């Protein structure tokens, strides 16, 4: 029998196997040891399931659930099992995975028509445990798309069925767990027995599916009741449902019916209305509020939001002045170091908090100050002659990642501040069971912006992204509930617009680059959207910060 050569990254060694040998067989033969059970592999920088059979020479790296793609496989498989369990316990109830929150997944049981009880949750959890104990394989089958669509509609998964229908493929892959078919836009674990830890708890009016931490799979993420974040999610979910654009297939219908412009106009109007409402709230407290603090994660649109808020404050007769926290960095030699000995520019200690507070106090007392400027090349702060004095009706807008951190303004009375947290909380889902990650939305925004304004290739942005996310988890998200108001910068239509800009950038990532794994995943994700032209997006839109064509000066 013909032999194929493979190089295993885990053992750093080459081997030959008969053509058609599965990754599972290779992992057993090589006795691959990982922190947790091997659940898949990276083959020539593409994610593959253990059932994948090798027919050509390949470079293989076996992964477990501590790998980003391994945990994705785990989550998809767990959601499939949850779906099967709900189907068994409540045959006439529709499970909907609404959003990612508190490092878990918020679920609703549509059609239950009563409050979910602890007994309900216990029964579902028991059924999940029964399915796990049976170690049932997830079977992938290629089928005629029309057969897949019919099967999904019979199971009540109409949004998923319509999305498959819109793709126009003759054949489609579907996964089966027993007689139940489903699809989660990515790879699954070999079987239910690979699921080792999960949680299912009441959360607001639904359930929270909890997942383990990749660092320690015996531990679940800590449960947090994020009232403000949940509230903003629900508000935008209501908007999406009113407009009937809660899933990709709904959005595609607008595009296919040449109504993409309608969604753009409505989305932008909702943004403008919300920003005006926030400005009105600030104006109502004009006697007290002297500083508006704006914070949020990378690529959330903070800068454009700040400028649009300034316009609305001006409409209310106020005079906004924008100050950047970046100009209050300590000199380079005083910058704290991270655990790797590198400068930690995202730590609060990288900001001269005392000097910043001193200047604010002087401004509030009616004194004139010299505004600092930071020279990033020299790593030094200096005064360039710009001066500022606040008069009646003047208000400061300060944008920076530490805006929600209570230690930023230890000497300023809380009644003098108004805090706004901004993030791109994606409003639509793939379908009934698959939400769209807000981090993916922001990553795509950043890839486009980095290419346009910094000449970074997509591979460089993808490479830096894990570090960006770690910084957000440490310095931004823990303080988001301190906000007075949250603003969602995502729009219903944006991924259909971003697709045109992101696709060519992602296709430039080469197969021999590690970032090819992520670029391939994002390309597949965007492939489900029918493109919307951006010509109707106004020059004041938050999206213009990433696409270009903004009327604001940055």
């Amino acid at each position: 029998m013909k032999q194929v050569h493979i190089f295993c990254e885990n053992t750093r060694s080459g081997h030959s196997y008969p053509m058609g040998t599965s990754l599972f067989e290779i992992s057993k033969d090589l006795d691959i040891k990982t922190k947790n059970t091997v659940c898949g592999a990276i083959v020539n920088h593409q994610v593959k399931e253990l059932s994948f059979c090798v027919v050509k020479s390949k470079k293989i790296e076996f992964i477990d659930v501590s790998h980003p793609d391994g945990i994705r496989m785990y989550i998809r498989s767990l959601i499939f099992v949850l779906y099967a369990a709900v189907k068994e316990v409540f045959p006439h109830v529709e499970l909907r995975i609404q959003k990612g929150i508190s490092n878990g997944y918020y679920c609703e049981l549509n059609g239950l028509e009563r409050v979910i009880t602890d007994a309900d949750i216990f029964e579902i959890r028991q059924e999940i445990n029964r399915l796990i104990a049976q170690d049932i394989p997830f079977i992938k089958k290629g089928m005629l798309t029309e057969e897949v669509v019919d099967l999904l509609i019979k199971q009540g998964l109409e949004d998923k069925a319509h999305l498959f229908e819109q793709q126009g493929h003759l054949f489609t892959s579907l996964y089966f767990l027993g007689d139940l078919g489903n699809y989660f836009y990515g790879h699954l674990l070999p079987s239910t027995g690979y699921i080792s830890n999960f949680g299912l708890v009441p959360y607001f009016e639904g359930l929270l599916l909890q997942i383990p931490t990749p660092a320690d799979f015996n531990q679940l993420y800590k449960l947090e009741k994020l009232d403000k974040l949940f509230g903003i999610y629900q508000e935008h979910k209501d908007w999406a449902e009113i407009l009937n654009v809660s899933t990709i297939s709904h959005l595609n219908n607008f595009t296919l019916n040449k109504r993409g412009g309608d969604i753009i106009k409505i989305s932008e109007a909702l943004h403008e209305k919300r920003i005006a409402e926030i400005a009105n709230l600030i104006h109502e407290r004009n006697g007290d509020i002297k500083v508006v603090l704006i914070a949020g994660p990378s690529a959330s649109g903070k800068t454009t939001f700040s400028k649009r808020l300034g316009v609305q404050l001006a409409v209310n007769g106020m005079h906004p002045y924008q100050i950047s926290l970046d100009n209050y960095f300590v000199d380079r030699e005083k910058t704290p170091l991270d655990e790797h000995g590198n400068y930690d520019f995202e730590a609060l200690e990288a900001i001269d908090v005392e000097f910043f507070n001193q200047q604010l106090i002087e401004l509030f007392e009616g004194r004139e100050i010299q505004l600092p400027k930071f020279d990033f090349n020299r790593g030094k702060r200096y005064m360039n002659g710009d001066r500022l004095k606040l008069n009646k009706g003047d208000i400061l807008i300060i944008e920076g990642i530490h805006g929600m951190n209570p230690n930023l303004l230890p000497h300023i009375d809380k009644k003098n501040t108004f805090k706004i947290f901004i993030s791109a909380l994606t409003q639509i889902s793939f379908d009934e069971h698959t939400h769209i990650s807000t981090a993916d939305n922001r990553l795509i925004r950043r890839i486009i912006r980095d290419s346009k304004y910094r000449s970074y290739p997509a591979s460089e942005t993808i490479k830096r992204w894990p570090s960006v996310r770690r910084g957000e988890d440490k310095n931004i998200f823990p303080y988001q509930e301190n906000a007075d108001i949250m603003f969602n910068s995502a729009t219903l239509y944006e991924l259909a617009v971003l697709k045109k800009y992101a696709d060519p950038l992602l296709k430039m990532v080469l197969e021999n680059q590690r970032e090819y794994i992520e670029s391939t995943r994002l390309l597949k994700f965007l492939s489900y959207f029918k493109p919307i032209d951006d010509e109707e997006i106004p020059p004041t839109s938050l999206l213009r910060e990433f696409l270009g064509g903004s009327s604001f000066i940055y």
Side-chain angles (χ1 to χ4, degrees), residues 21-256:
T21 303
S22 72
L23 292 176
F24 179 82
E25 292 169 320
I26 294 172
S27 70
K28 292 301 180 185
D29 181 67
L30 297 180
D31 193 24
I32 299 297
K33 302 295 184 186
T34 52
K35 183 178 179 181
N36 300 289
T37 304
V38 172
C39 65
I42 307 299
V43 179
N44 288 3
H45 290 157
Q46 294 188 63
V47 183
K48 298 293 181 184
E49 293 162 337
L50 291 180
S51 59
F52 177 78
C53 295
V54 178
V55 295
K56 294 180 180 179
S57 296
K58 303 288 184 183
K59 184 170 77 168
I60 298 170
E61 177 189 358
F62 291 98
I63 62 172
D64 65 6
V65 288
S66 63
H67 187 280
D69 287 289
I71 192 65
R72 288 189 185 105
M73 294 170 79
Y74 189 94
I75 292 166
R76 294 182 196 112
S77 305
L78 177 57
I79 291 174
F80 197 168
V81 173
L82 172 62
Y83 165 65
V86 170
K87 197 80 173 169
E88 178 65 27
V89 175
F90 300 111
H92 304 297
V93 165
E94 178 192 22
L95 170 72
R96 296 206 63 113
I97 310 293
Q98 294 288 6
K99 61 185 74 69
I101 191 170
S102 188
N103 289 306
Y105 296 88
Y106 176 70
C107 317
E108 292 179 348
L109 300 182
N110 292 350
L112 187 61
E113 296 181 350
R114 61 174 173 79
V115 175
I116 299 170
T117 66
D118 289 340
D120 295 332
I121 296 173
F122 178 79
E123 197 170 354
I124 295 170
R125 193 187 298 120
Q126 288 293 95
E127 179 61 20
I128 292 174
N129 286 326
R130 186 185 71 81
L131 293 170
I132 292 171
Q134 288 184 319
D135 194 21
I136 306 168
F138 295 105
I139 305 297
K140 184 178 183 180
K141 296 181 181 178
M143 303 168 59
L144 284 168
T145 299
E146 59 192 62
E147 293 177 352
V148 169
V149 169
D150 288 344
L151 186 149
L152 292 173
I153 289 175
K154 287 176 182 175
Q155 288 183 196
L157 302 178
E158 293 190 3
D159 290 338
K160 200 181 299 274
H162 293 325
L163 186 55
F164 278 125
E165 209 168 26
Q166 289 172 348
Q167 300 312 296
H169 300 310
L170 188 59
F171 282 87
T172 299
S173 293
L174 201 65
Y175 287 90
F176 284 86
L177 182 59
D179 294 329
L180 280 182
N182 215 324
Y183 193 75
F184 296 92
Y185 314 96
H187 299 289
L188 301 185
L189 300 171
S191 65
T192 60
Y194 279 69
I195 298 171
S196 57
N197 194 12
F198 73 96
L200 195 64
V201 295
Y203 198 76
F204 293 95
E205 296 179 357
L207 309 168
L208 187 73
L209 179 64
Q210 295 176 285
I211 61 170
T213 65
D216 182 358
F217 232 62
N218 294 316
Q219 296 290 323
L220 297 174
Y221 278 106
K222 180 183 176 183
L223 177 66
E224 294 182 272
K225 207 70 179 292
L226 303 173
D227 297 273
K228 292 175 183 174
L229 181 62
F230 186 83
I232 201 72
Y233 261 126
Q234 288 299 100
E235 174 187 305
H236 284 264
K237 174 192 166 218
D238 293 342
W239 286 356
E241 289 181 350
I242 289 169
L243 297 169
N244 193 28
V245 194
S246 57
T247 65
I248 295 177
S249 66
H250 295 157
L251 179 61
N252 286 344
N253 283 336
F254 273 83
T255 308
L256 294 169

Side-chain angles (χ1 to χ4, degrees), residues 265-521:
K265 294 183 185 74
I266 294 169
S267 297
E268 293 297 333
L270 288 171
H271 266 187
E272 196 61 41
K273 178 183 178 183
R274 186 60 176 145
I275 294 171
E277 289 171 348
I278 294 171
N280 291 341
L281 284 173
I282 295 169
H283 180 256
E284 288 169 6
R285 291 172 52 190
N286 190 25
D288 291 327
I289 296 174
K290 295 179 173 65
V291 180
V292 177
L293 296 159
I294 298 172
S298 175
S300 56
K302 298 183 293 295
T303 304
T304 304
F305 173 83
S306 300
K307 293 180 181 299
R308 285 179 66 171
L309 179 65
V311 171
Q312 290 294 340
L313 290 172
V315 169
N316 278 280
M318 305 173 76
H319 308 112
Y321 291 93
Q322 300 206 354
I323 293 180
S324 173
L325 270 180
D326 287 355
N327 288 323
Y328 288 86
F329 274 121
V330 297
D331 289 344
R332 187 70 42 82
E333 65 269 16
K334 297 178 182 178
T335 303
L337 304 179
D338 63 17
E339 63 272 21
H340 303 296
N342 300 316
Y343 290 121
D344 188 355
F345 296 109
E346 294 185 339
L348 181 62
E349 292 73 22
I351 301 293
D352 192 338
V353 171
E354 286 301 315
F355 177 58
F356 178 55
N357 279 252
Q358 175 192 330
Q359 287 218 312
L360 289 183
I361 290 170
E362 290 176 3
L363 284 170
F364 297 165
E365 291 175 348
R367 288 187 272 171
E368 185 178 73
I369 65 166
Q370 283 195 71
L371 290 170
K373 196 77 175 173
F374 193 82
D375 185 330
F376 286 90
N377 291 323
R378 295 190 303 119
K380 295 287 184 182
R381 189 175 66 224
Y382 66 98
M383 300 296 180
N384 69 347
D386 289 344
R387 309 182 79 86
L388 178 64
K389 181 179 180 181
L390 295 183
N391 299 305
K392 185 177 181 181
D394 292 347
I395 190 167
L396 297 175
I397 297 178
I398 297 170
E399 173 204 331
I401 67 171
H402 299 293
M404 303 301 106
N405 189 328
N407 296 317
L408 176 67
L409 299 178
H411 307 308
I412 305 300
D413 194 321
K414 289 183 179 178
K415 74 175 184 179
N416 297 139
T417 66
F418 191 88
K419 297 179 178 179
I420 304 171
F421 188 83
I422 177 170
S423 193
L425 306 174
T426 317
Q427 300 165 49
I428 62 174
S429 302
F430 267 101
D431 55 38
E432 298 89 343
H433 298 154
T434 309
H435 86 298
I436 293 175
S437 165
T438 62
D440 283 349
N441 196 341
R442 293 190 292 111
L443 174 55
I444 290 167
R445 283 180 172 186
R446 182 158 171 156
I447 286 170
I448 295 167
R449 185 179 65 188
D450 282 357
S451 172
K452 187 172 185 65
Y453 297 108
R454 301 175 185 174
S455 298
Y456 287 172
S459 58
E460 184 65 25
T461 304
I462 292 169
K463 182 180 179 180
R464 293 168 183 244
W465 190 240
S467 175
V468 171
R469 295 294 311 280
R470 286 192 296 271
E472 294 169 351
D473 289 340
K474 180 180 179 182
N475 298 305
I476 299 178
F477 291 123
Y479 305 106
Q480 61 185 342
E481 286 289 309
N482 292 337
D484 294 291
I485 287 287
M486 287 190 175
F487 178 81
N488 186 359
S489 71
T491 61
L492 290 165
Y493 68 84
E494 72 173 88
L495 287 165
V497 169
L498 296 177
K499 171 189 173 75
K500 178 178 73 174
Y501 293 89
D503 274 1
L505 300 175
L506 291 167
K507 287 175 181 176
M508 290 175 68
V509 181
L510 303 177
E511 186 184 25
N512 62 359
Q513 297 176 287
R514 291 198 66 83
E515 294 75 31
Y516 187 75
I517 306 168
E518 190 71 348
S519 68
T520 302
R521 184 182 71 84

